Amino acid sequence: MLTAHWLYGLSGCLIMALGLRAVLLNDSLLQRIIALNVMGTGVFMILITIAYRGPDATPDPIPHALVLTGIVVAVSATALALTLIRRLTEEQDSD
Amino acid sequence: MIDILIWLVALPLAGALAALLLPRYATAIVISTAIATSISAAALLYAVATHGVMLYEIGGWPAGLGIALRADGLAALLLTMSALVLLASSIYAGAYFRENLLRSRFWPLWLLLWTALNALLLSGDLFNLYVTLELLGLSAVALASLAGKTAAMQAALRYLLVGLLGSMLFLAGVTLIYAGYGTLDMATLSRVVAAGPIAWSALALMTVGLLLKTALFPLHFWLPPAHASAPAPVSAVLSALVVKATFYLVMRLWLDIFSEVVIPQVASLLGILGAAAVLWGSWQALRAERLKLLAAYSTVAQLGYLFLFFPLLQALPAGAARDAAMGGLVILALSHGLAKSGLFLAIGIIQQRSGHDTIRDLDGTAQRLPATTFAIALSGTALIGLPPSGAFLGKWHLLSAAFSAGQWLWIIVIMIGTLLAAAYTFRVLGHAFGQQPYPRHPVTIAIEEWPALILTAFATIGLGLAGAPVWQLLKVSL
């Protein structure tokens, strides 16, 4: 069980690092927004791993609550970013 | 008395909803909300001064599981300064957007920003800080994009991306903290944090995220376009308060929670970045062609001064000298908040009256808008740090801390920065005077000109002559 736990946590770290790399190195706005979401998923995976307290114990509910809140925040932020990108493209098309 | 804490978050939030639902009465709703919130902020400041740290557990759930609101001297001071800036800017914005259809979209976001700011300053828990950081960032971006021009939208998008990246790094740090210590309550953490890889990497992640949002050199690239292309009242609040809120968190982390863990060399690195920000920001402000860009680069420089305090506070042993320097840091931050918001409001008036803010073509502004030009001069006094401004006291303590810690490098940086600030202020004032006769009454457009005058007068005269309570209040800490 310990190995599965670690595998999950380390994948979270890896996903976060890949997301961060894509945010920093990409030029396209849309790709960067998606990369930020990927990075967020990595952080959420790490949080879920932290909640694990052993095969027989109930998981810690606080990290789960944090992930739920984090998802809501990420969805709103993505919505705002997409709206801005769309308005910007409309603006550039009309010019 | 303790209920003040919840009012400070609930009032602007309720006001935002009311302004959204009743757009016709939005201006009246916002002004009355602004007055009520400012009164609550003043009451909180008084309560903290007389009763000490204030604590409120929402719904009766204790910290750790529930949401705790806390206010100590530092939080109360910043909250009151923000209230003053937001109240004055609200009155100004009422006139600024008088005949503008954007008004109905502007007001709810404005109050949401205030809600997020107050919640951030009062939060006693790292995860709530993440949520309030995001709320503050999102409302700030939406406000910055309001001007609707392509340049403003591009700047707002970049601002959003930087902000999201910053808060994601902050959240990663918060995750490490929870993994390592099993709590996110800041008061508990400051007791249990121990030097080691977990504390260091968590602090590094959170600090980089916050520095990105605070626009510390070389992470400042997004600030000048975002602050210079937003509507004037928004620029005022972005430059004076939003970057201060993330700076406040850096202060909390470095000087409070992690103060035992911090490695001196890393504190020196913050100081060096601050020094680079002072020099680069002031130089760019001197070279700017537009007033708003000048004000935005001056913000980069002024934030740099605040970071110069970190290596000094790290080096000084706990005691009178360190307390004095800490007060200097806070009064410099307060003074900049008031002066810079006043400056942006004054620039807004010039921009609306003459249709541009090109520094070279300001000729005659002193005659057309004497009160506004005076506000710019007052603001310049605080940005340079001339007596009797609050910034003078701040820089005085910065210099004496540098002397007593024997760190001479900072003194040279402060001197060059001050000279450059004087140069960019006098460059604006030099262009503003023309040959026309002066009008009989200096204040030509009352409602619009007073907020800038009052804010800058507070920064120069108010904080300078009555700054002593700041040091008293800072002794009230968690």
Side-chain angles (χ1 to χ4, degrees), chain B residues 21-305:
Chain B
L21 294 174
L22 305 166
R24 195 185 292 261
Y25 308 104
T27 310
I29 291 170
V30 172
I31 300 294
S32 31
T33 310
I35 293 170
T37 314
S38 304
I39 293 171
S40 313
L44 174 74
L45 192 67
Y46 178 75
V48 170
T50 48
H51 299 287
V53 176
M54 306 291 274
L55 176 69
Y56 184 84
E57 284 162 348
I58 296 177
W61 295 96
L65 192 60
I67 296 170
L69 297 179
R70 276 205 199 90
D72 60 357
L74 174 62
L77 278 169
L78 285 172
L79 209 125
T80 313
M81 185 271 279
S82 314
L84 192 63
V85 168
L86 276 155
L87 176 64
S89 310
S90 301
I91 294 169
Y92 172 80
Y96 185 88
F97 286 112
R98 194 183 289 127
E99 284 152 21
N100 197 321
L101 293 173
L102 287 175
R103 198 180 46 206
S104 57
R105 277 192 274 159
F106 170 78
W107 286 131
L109 287 168
W110 181 256
L111 286 183
L112 279 179
L113 182 124
W114 199 339
T115 313
L117 188 66
N118 281 358
L120 187 148
L121 292 172
L122 295 177
S123 180
D125 166 301
L126 284 179
F127 189 73
N128 292 328
L129 277 181
Y130 162 72
V131 176
T132 51
L133 262 179
E134 288 284 41
L135 285 177
L136 187 67
L138 293 184
S139 44
V141 167
L143 283 169
S145 73
L146 267 186
K149 299 194 190 89
T150 311
M153 225 108 76
Q154 269 164 344
L157 249 173
R158 186 144 61 145
Y159 185 19
L160 176 64
L161 277 171
V162 165
L164 289 179
L165 181 60
S167 8
M168 202 47 82
L169 291 170
F170 183 81
L171 181 65
V174 172
T175 307
L176 270 181
I177 291 279
Y178 193 80
Y181 301 102
T183 178
L184 295 172
D185 183 57
M186 287 154 74
T188 319
L189 274 173
S190 61
R191 287 193 298 272
V192 297
V193 163
I198 292 185
W200 286 326
S201 35
L203 181 63
L205 280 169
M206 289 195 277
T207 308
V208 172
L210 291 171
L211 292 185
L212 198 57
K213 282 170 161 280
T214 315
L216 177 62
F217 183 91
L219 305 173
H220 69 286
F221 56 90
W222 57 271
L223 184 144
H227 286 199
S229 59
V234 177
S235 308
V237 167
L238 291 184
S239 247
L241 307 180
V242 175
V243 283
K244 279 303 149 26
T246 45
F247 176 76
Y248 160 80
L249 294 184
V250 180
M251 265 177 87
R252 274 270 185 253
L253 293 180
W254 281 70
L255 305 175
D256 194 3
I257 301 179
F258 288 92
S259 57
E260 305 294 319
V261 179
V262 169
I263 306 168
Q265 284 82 355
V266 188
S268 299
L269 178 69
L270 281 188
I272 289 168
L273 293 179
V278 169
L279 300 176
W280 176 253
S282 307
W283 177 247
Q284 288 298 319
L286 186 61
R287 293 189 45 203
E289 307 223 321
R290 288 177 44 218
L291 266 177
K292 271 189 136 177
L293 211 55
L294 177 146
Y297 272 112
S298 145
T299 298
V300 173
Q302 298 285 327
L303 287 166
Y305 282 113

Side-chain angles (χ1 to χ4, degrees), chain A residues 14-27:
Chain A
L14 188 67
I15 291 175
M16 188 188 128
L18 286 174
L20 180 63
R21 181 181 170 278
V23 177
L24 296 179
L25 297 182
N26 252 310
D27 282 335

